[in-house]
Amino acid sequence: MILSLIEHEDGTPSDVSLQMLTLARDIAEQTDSSLAAIVFGDGDAVTDAVATQGVEDVYSVTHDRLDVYAPEAWAESVDQLVEELDPEAVLAAGTDRGHEVLAHVVARRDLPMAANCTEVDVGDAYEVTRQRWGGSLIEHARFESGMPVLTTAAHEIAAEPATEAADVTTHDFTPTLDDDDFRVRVSRREESDAEGIPLGEARIVVGGGRGVGSSEDFDQLEELAELLGGTVGSSRAAVNEGWRPHDDQIGLTGAKIAPKLYVACGISGAVQHMVGCKGADNILAINTDPETSIIQKGEYAVIGDLHEVVPALNEAIRNGQ
C-alpha cells in the first residue's frame, strides 16, 4: 500500500494533493501496490475526486478535538495509521502542512524523509529526484533503509487522472490523542482583506517589482490584470518598499504561483523570485534591461519602459486589438 495524505477544502482536494497523487499512483504501479489516502474530516466528501486518481481506500480521520489543524495531533494520527497499515511508503504534497506533519512522523519513527520530490524510481531501493534550495539545485538521492517518506514539489508534477477510476472504500479511523498532541493548534483564522482571485489559483498573474516605481503606479498593473481576468502579485522588493502587502509577494518567502501566463513588470528575476513563479507555463517579461535574469528565463519579452508598455497594452485590450 502507498499511503498519501490529502489536503482538502470542504471535500475538494487541493491542486497540489492531486499532483502528489499522480506520483503516488506511479509508485504504486512500480511496486504493484494499492493506493490509499488519509483525509482529516469527512472522507466520503473526497471519494469522487480521489477515485479518478486511482485511490482504492480512504481513511477518514475523525476526533472531537480535530476540528482545527494541530500538527502534532495530525502526525500522531498518521503515525497510528502507519503502525496499523504498514504501508510501502507515505507521501504528502509539498505544502507547509504536508512538510510539517510528515517531519513529525519521521522524527517519531526515526525514518528518512525526502522533500520536494519530482520523480521516484523503484528498483532494489527508492531513488528520488528532488528540488533543493528553492528549486535552484536538483538532487538525486537513494533510500538505503526504512520506509520511504516523501513530499512532492508543488506545481512540478502534472495532475493526471488514472486510466480507470477506482471503486473507493471509506474506513473510519479515530486516533488515540492526549493533551500534549494539542500543544500547537490553530486558535483563530484571519481573513485577508484582499479581493479577487487568490494568487495561487490565478490563471493569469501580473507582477510588479521595484521598477514599477511607486504604489500608485501599480494602478496600471491592476487595470491590466482586470482586463486579462487575472490578479496582481509583486516581488519582495515592492513589498519591502511598502507598495504592496505581503499577501501579494511571489517568491521563496511568498506565494508559489502556477498560472498559464505570468506578466512580470519591472522585475529583475532574482533566484528567490523565480522560485515562486517557475511553475508558470509562460512568462512575459517587460523590462528596459535585455540582460536581466527574468528575460533570459522567460518565454516572451518586451524591451521597454513598463510605464509606456503597460498603458499601451491596456488600451489595445480595451479596443479589442
Side-chain angles (χ1 to χ4, degrees):
M1 173 189 290
I2 305 300
L3 193 59
S4 54
L5 174 61
I6 306 298
E7 297 178 46
H8 68 99
E9 186 71 33
D10 297 327
T12 301
S14 66
D15 289 342
V16 288
S17 286
L18 295 177
Q19 295 163 19
M20 177 271 296
L21 281 176
T22 299
L23 182 59
R25 186 176 69 247
D26 178 60
I27 298 171
E29 291 171 353
Q30 291 186 61
T31 57
D32 195 25
S33 302
S34 63
L35 182 57
I38 302 172
V39 175
F40 283 80
D42 184 6
D44 290 330
V46 304
T47 53
D48 289 343
V50 299
T52 62
Q53 299 295 323
V55 173
E56 299 176 25
D57 294 277
V58 171
Y59 292 88
S60 178
V61 180
T62 57
H63 189 279
D64 57 5
R65 297 183 66 182
L66 282 175
D67 54 330
V68 296
Y69 176 59
E72 292 177 86
W74 277 44
E76 178 61 27
S77 303
V78 172
D79 186 64
Q80 291 177 23
L81 270 171
V82 168
E83 182 68 26
E84 180 175 316
L85 301 173
D86 190 25
E88 166 81 16
V90 178
L91 285 83
T95 60
D96 290 344
R97 189 168 292 188
H99 287 140
E100 184 174 30
V101 171
L102 291 196
H104 278 290
V105 173
V106 297
R108 291 162 191 254
R109 291 189 161 264
D110 193 23
L111 288 172
M113 175 177 171
N116 298 316
C117 298
T118 58
E119 296 179 33
V120 178
D121 292 313
V122 184
D124 57 343
Y126 276 62
E127 296 185 357
V128 303
T129 301
R130 70 190 191 106
Q131 295 180 349
R132 298 194 63 186
W133 301 105
S136 61
L137 173 68
I138 302 299
E139 177 184 88
H140 298 283
R142 178 184 176 95
F143 280 88
E144 295 290 354
S145 63
M147 179 187 68
V149 178
L150 317 169
T151 64
T152 53
H155 307 304
E156 292 295 327
I157 301 168
E160 298 178 355
T163 54
E164 185 176 336
D167 292 326
V168 182
T169 302
T170 302
H171 312 267
D172 292 327
F173 179 76
T174 302
T176 301
L177 303 172
D178 57 35
D179 289 342
D180 284 348
D181 296 319
F182 294 91
R183 292 178 298 180
V184 178
R185 63 193 296 271
V186 173
S187 61
R188 69 176 187 275
R189 294 182 181 272
E190 302 256 347
E191 295 295 331
S192 171
D193 293 332
E195 298 180 357
I197 307 167
L199 270 177
E201 300 175 13
R203 307 318 296 157
I204 296 177
V205 175
V206 179
R210 195 188 305 277
V212 176
S214 70
S215 58
E216 291 76 16
D217 286 321
F218 267 88
D219 290 348
Q220 56 195 342
L221 274 63
E222 294 275 6
E223 182 180 0
L224 178 58
E226 183 176 354
L227 289 167
L228 294 174
T231 194
V232 171
S234 73
S235 69
R236 180 175 179 176
V239 172
N240 289 345
E241 292 287 349
W243 301 340
R244 303 298 294 184
H246 183 267
D247 287 348
D248 286 357
Q249 184 177 321
I250 299 166
L252 183 62
T253 55
K256 310 298 189 295
I257 62 172
K260 293 293 185 183
L261 174 64
Y262 177 43
V263 184
C265 306
I267 294 174
S268 65
V271 171
Q272 292 87 345
H273 186 76
M274 297 307 298
V275 168
C277 68
K278 62 186 176 63
D281 290 345
N282 297 281
I283 296 176
L284 165 61
I286 302 173
N287 206 294
T288 56
D289 182 3
E291 301 302 320
T292 196
S293 177
I294 200 165
I295 286 181
Q296 305 304 315
K297 295 175 181 176
E299 284 70 29
Y300 307 97
V302 177
I303 309 303
D305 186 345
L306 70 89
H307 300 95
E308 298 174 359
V309 175
V310 174
L313 276 175
N314 292 344
E315 183 177 1
I317 295 170
R318 284 195 303 270
N319 295 333
Q321 298 177 356

